[in-house]
Amino acid sequence: MLFDERTNGFRLLNGEGDGLPGLTCDLYDKHAVLKLDGDTPAAFWNVDAFADWLAERLSIENVFLKFRSDAETRGRAVRGAIPAEPVRFLENGLHFQADLVQGQKTGFFFDQRDNRARIGALAVGRSVLNLFAYTGGFSIYAGCGGASQVTSVDLAKPAMEEAERNWALNALPGDQHQVSATDAFEFLEKAKSAKRSWDLVVVDPPSFAPAERHVKAALASYQALFTAALHVLAPSGIVAFSSCSSHISQQMFLELTELATSKARRRATGLGVYGQPADHPFPLVCRELQYLKFLLLQVR
């Protein structure tokens, strides 16, 4: 088993990695969210029968089929009811809630679980900046890990409000968490001008390369973003750079990070290169499904 009673939010089925092409299923305690990757999986998979199977074996109360982002409606209840409010769940003993209907993906990003734990272990006594924070996953781990202060930045105001609620769910001191609903590039520019710095910076942007044709522009965007983040990192600080784009290879990712570090006139030592957790498996013959890159650096 991958999880004990301290974690009841995780990916149950990961498409091709679990031999179920086009079908993913995330569990949030007694709630399940299904996603189908396109029209072919939608025509092939019997989601109603699958929902019955889930309910019988895992005591799932509600199964929600979430439609693709370009659909007119967000999804439908396959079994039970559509969650009327965010649902609560545990991850490594920490408390979170997620909006399964309106939230991004299925409501939460389980693929960064192990990397969140790494940030939590490094946060003790440090000031932390979490860029593209969404609902505050890395921020909560940092706060629970003993960070002196945490700043969460995301353009979406509802996500920042949810981050504050997740912070409160874990009984963390309210005055140690600052949120800013603003563009990350704009925030970094203003922080640099104000000569602000943080001991630990997490940069976890959305995919800049949703298709192969976007790779060149994405590399430039990543490089500019990482360079800007290094400008607000304190001396001997730690930075975490991440990319979830399958079209950006690990080699490309390391090279653009090297260029960003050079452009920022900093020197870096690698502390670890990581990826997605065990509940996000991939077929060895489909290496492009090993999409997540996560790099920890100590920077002088």
Side-chain angles (χ1 to χ4, degrees):
M1 291 183 63
L2 295 178
F3 309 110
D4 56 21
E5 67 280 357
R6 299 174 68 251
T7 297
N8 60 18
F10 55 88
R11 175 148 294 184
L12 178 68
L13 299 172
N14 194 50
E16 288 81 354
D18 284 311
L20 302 169
L23 173 65
T24 59
C25 177
D26 286 350
L27 296 188
Y28 296 82
D29 194 11
K30 299 296 184 181
H31 303 263
V33 182
L34 305 179
K35 290 201 76 175
L36 298 168
D37 187 18
D39 294 336
T40 299
F44 177 79
W45 292 110
N46 186 336
V47 294
D48 293 272
F50 182 70
D52 291 340
W53 182 88
L54 280 176
E56 291 171 4
R57 286 161 177 77
L58 299 177
S59 301
I60 298 298
E61 296 175 358
N62 300 309
V63 180
F64 179 62
L65 174 62
K66 194 162 187 179
F67 298 153
R68 302 182 75 177
S69 58
D70 56 354
E72 292 184 7
T73 56
R74 300 298 290 173
R76 71 175 178 91
V78 183
R79 186 182 180 95
I82 295 177
E85 57 187 20
V87 302
R88 295 188 180 186
F89 61 97
L90 291 171
E91 184 180 90
N92 291 324
L94 305 187
H95 298 268
F96 293 95
Q97 64 179 31
D99 188 335
L100 309 188
V101 180
Q102 299 298 331
Q104 295 183 33
K105 300 297 183 179
T106 68
F108 198 71
F109 292 91
F110 290 132
D111 56 359
Q112 290 282 26
R113 179 190 309 104
D114 292 352
N115 297 323
R116 283 191 283 268
R118 292 183 176 100
I119 293 301
L122 292 168
V124 59
R126 289 186 166 101
S127 58
V128 178
L129 172 62
N130 181 15
L131 296 169
F132 304 94
Y134 188 41
T135 57
F138 282 106
S139 301
I140 307 311
Y141 273 81
C144 291
S148 59
Q149 190 274 336
V150 179
T151 302
S152 300
V153 179
D154 197 284
L155 184 59
K157 185 177 179 181
M160 290 290 84
E161 293 171 348
E162 194 67 33
E164 290 188 298
R165 285 189 283 269
N166 281 328
W167 185 272
L169 279 178
N170 291 276
L172 292 165
D175 59 356
Q176 291 182 11
H177 186 215
Q178 177 186 1
V179 300
S180 178
T182 188
D183 175 78
F185 285 94
E186 179 182 338
F187 180 91
L188 289 171
E189 183 178 350
K190 290 182 178 180
K192 180 184 177 183
S193 297
K195 297 184 178 180
R196 296 182 65 187
S197 65
W198 288 264
D199 304 317
L200 173 57
V201 177
V202 179
V203 190
D204 181 27
S207 176
F208 288 161
E212 187 70 31
R213 66 181 183 275
H214 299 127
V215 167
K216 184 177 180 180
L219 291 174
S221 295
Y222 278 121
Q223 185 179 327
L225 174 63
F226 293 174
T227 300
L230 288 167
H231 284 313
V232 301
L233 181 68
S236 297
I238 295 174
V239 66
F241 291 137
S242 186
S243 169
C244 62
S245 174
S246 61
H247 299 288
I248 303 295
S249 69
Q250 186 173 101
Q251 182 64 31
M252 295 163 66
F253 183 69
L254 292 174
E255 288 175 356
L256 73 87
T257 301
E258 183 180 346
L259 288 171
T261 305
S262 177
K263 190 172 183 180
R265 298 185 180 277
R266 305 291 294 267
R267 296 176 61 190
T269 300
L271 301 180
V273 181
Y274 307 100
Q276 60 223 54
D279 60 336
H280 287 66
F282 60 93
L284 188 58
V285 295
C286 296
R287 295 293 298 275
E288 63 273 17
L289 298 181
Q290 187 187 15
Y291 63 92
L292 187 63
K293 281 77 63 179
F294 191 87
L295 175 63
L296 277 174
L297 299 172
Q298 185 154 36
V299 183
R300 299 182 295 281

